[in-house]
Amino acid sequence: MSFLELLFILLVLYYVVYVLLWVVLDCNVALWYKSRFGTSLSTMRGQVVWITGASSGIGHALAVSLARHGVRLVLSARRVEQLEQVQAECLAAARGLLAQRDVLILPMDMLQLDKHQAHLNTVLNHFERLDVLVNNAGRSQRANWTEIEIQVDRDLFELDVFSVVHLSRIVVRYFLEQNGGRGHIAATSSIAGFSPVPFSATYCAAKHALNAYLYALKVEHRKLDVTIFAPGPIATDFLLEAFTGSEGGKVGLSTVNQKRLTAERCGELFAVAIANKMDLTWCGLFPVNAMAYCARNPTLTKILGQFMTEKTLNKIREGKL
Ligand SMILES: NC(=O)c1ccc[n+]([C@@H]2O[C@H](COP(=O)([O-])OP(=O)(O)OC[C@H]3O[C@@H](n4cnc5c(N)ncnc54)[C@H](OP(=O)(O)O)[C@@H]3O)[C@@H](O)[C@H]2O)c1
């Protein structure tokens, strides 16, 4: 066998294994690799991470994953009782690595933009530093494209995009002016932020927009770390609060008994992505993970589009396949 033939066989083998990993893993290959062989979460011990939307679901799970390694936390959301429960869980998970004052509860409505600066001041007065902002608060959507009222488009963008951009700008200014340009902005985007799914047009557009804002930030300020974490279907209560097509509407459905990645695993993977300062990562059970890879390749997207009706796509995203 010639050297070139050997090289060809190795290359084919590499791609076969790589594509098999898309099927077997519950996240992109690079994230899985980092979770095994990358920077350990314990290197973040003592850092201060501010998580919005920390009262439930992915934010809650991320907080517990970080607390386990002694990361100091700011927990923000509107429901204070839930935040207190998350704080207690974080302290229990930390097993002595954190004291009560290391997990700050900071009640906050993301939509009150005029209070964002005061919230950052509270964080800095308390900890005298901030290392990472995790923009996780957000709401999803279920609605037919043709029936979405324009006010819903506006309201969803206000929460999932503009409030996030506004808070991030304030924090980035702090990183640039008072932190020597060092700092880390992370956000919970969605696979819907690079691969459109049916019946969530505004949500898909909002997560695409959020990604674009963060890519642009990274291009302008290269010393900053920017992490876009894009989950597929996760077992949280997010469908209860999801927007519909009508102003003020909420879907009000449970995700119980649907095939979804657990919030705990999602939070753990998100923590790995942050500790390793990864730029874009995603997670989801089969076939979501493999489909996310295909979505990043225009030719594969076209081929997949021939076989997938909107009903099939919807069943996959609702964990019914
Ligand atoms: N679950 C999934 O399948 C999935 C998939 C991809 C992406 N995501 C994204 O993951 C993020 C978290 O969602 P989740 O699944 O964990 O759902 P969740 O359990 O409903 O969490 C949403 C969080 O956002 C907070 N929030 C909502 N409106 C807010 C506001 N006006 N001000 C402050 N906080 C607000 C909620 O807290 P309060 O109600 O206490 O304020 C809650 O903590 C969202 O950005 C979502 O788009 C979820």
Side-chain angles (χ1 to χ4, degrees):
M1 190 187 300
S2 75
F3 175 70
L4 272 182
E5 283 169 339
L6 180 67
L7 204 65
F8 177 73
I9 290 173
L10 286 177
L11 204 68
V12 171
L13 261 177
Y14 169 82
Y15 278 107
V16 168
V17 172
Y18 190 58
V19 172
L20 265 179
L21 288 176
W22 298 2
V23 173
V24 175
L25 298 180
D26 60 3
C27 62
N28 60 305
V29 179
L31 181 55
W32 169 79
Y33 180 84
K34 293 288 185 189
S35 72
R36 295 283 168 128
F37 310 109
T39 303
S40 156
L41 281 171
S42 54
T43 59
M44 288 184 71
R45 186 171 169 185
Q47 288 190 16
V48 176
V49 177
W50 182 4
I51 305 173
T52 69
S55 58
S56 58
I58 296 170
H60 168 184
L62 172 65
V64 174
S65 290
L66 292 171
R68 208 168 278 138
H69 296 271
V71 178
R72 294 185 289 166
L73 296 165
V74 183
L75 307 176
S76 283
R78 294 163 304 176
R79 291 170 296 167
V80 177
E81 229 172 83
Q82 272 82 351
L83 287 177
E84 285 168 355
Q85 280 171 21
V86 176
Q87 183 194 45
E89 256 185 71
C90 286
L91 292 173
R95 286 186 289 178
L97 290 178
L98 297 173
Q100 178 118 2
R101 81 170 313 278
D102 295 325
V103 183
L104 176 69
I105 292 179
L106 180 60
M108 171 179 188
D109 184 340
M110 283 296 289
L111 294 172
Q112 296 179 340
L113 305 194
D114 56 332
K115 297 202 173 140
H116 284 183
Q117 182 66 57
H119 290 315
L120 173 62
N121 295 346
T122 305
V123 172
L124 296 176
N125 286 338
H126 187 86
F127 286 115
E128 295 178 348
R129 66 185 277 181
L130 173 64
D131 299 279
V132 188
L133 168 68
V134 181
N135 292 291
N136 170 72
R139 285 171 61 193
S140 187
Q141 181 188 40
R142 294 295 181 269
N144 287 317
W145 200 99
T146 46
E147 287 160 16
I148 300 170
E149 293 170 9
I150 195 70
Q151 192 54 43
V152 174
D153 293 305
R154 293 196 174 109
D155 291 346
L156 199 155
F157 263 69
E158 202 60 56
L159 178 64
D160 287 12
V161 185
F162 301 138
S163 76
V164 175
V165 171
H166 189 265
L167 182 64
S168 301
R169 280 201 182 117
I170 286 173
V171 170
V172 167
R173 268 183 228 131
Y174 155 74
F175 286 151
L176 297 176
E177 290 162 14
Q178 293 176 48
N179 212 30
R182 285 182 311 279
H184 192 161
I185 300 284
T188 315
S189 181
S190 168
I191 287 179
F194 57 80
S195 173
V197 287
F199 311 118
S200 300
T202 321
Y203 181 71
C204 290
K207 293 296 188 184
H208 274 73
L210 178 61
N211 292 356
Y213 268 111
L214 294 177
Y215 287 137
L217 169 65
K218 182 64 188 166
V219 171
E220 264 181 60
H221 294 286
R222 304 200 176 193
K223 268 166 81 183
L224 286 178
D225 295 302
V226 177
T227 295
I228 297 174
F229 181 70
I234 309 298
T236 69
D237 282 340
F238 83 123
L239 268 187
L240 288 176
E241 289 290 310
F243 287 89
T244 62
S246 310
E247 192 180 345
K250 289 184 182 178
V251 171
L253 289 177
S254 154
T255 57
V256 173
N257 295 331
Q258 294 186 354
K259 181 182 149 197
R260 289 169 172 269
L261 191 66
T262 64
E264 290 71 25
R265 173 71 176 153
C266 179
E268 206 176 286
L269 290 167
F270 198 174
V272 171
I274 292 170
N276 286 275
K277 303 184 169 170
M278 300 178 79
D279 44 14
L280 173 69
T281 59
W282 62 85
C283 61
L285 296 174
F286 178 82
V288 174
N289 193 33
M291 284 170 67
Y293 272 101
C294 295
R296 300 194 46 76
N297 178 305
T299 313
L300 288 178
T301 303
K302 219 170 170 185
I303 296 171
L304 207 67
Q306 305 292 322
F307 297 104
M308 296 268 180
T309 63
E310 80 283 1
K311 280 190 184 140
T312 317
L313 274 176
N314 202 42
K315 275 189 182 167
I316 291 170
R317 66 92 69 101
E318 301 292 15
K320 291 177 182 161
L321 257 191

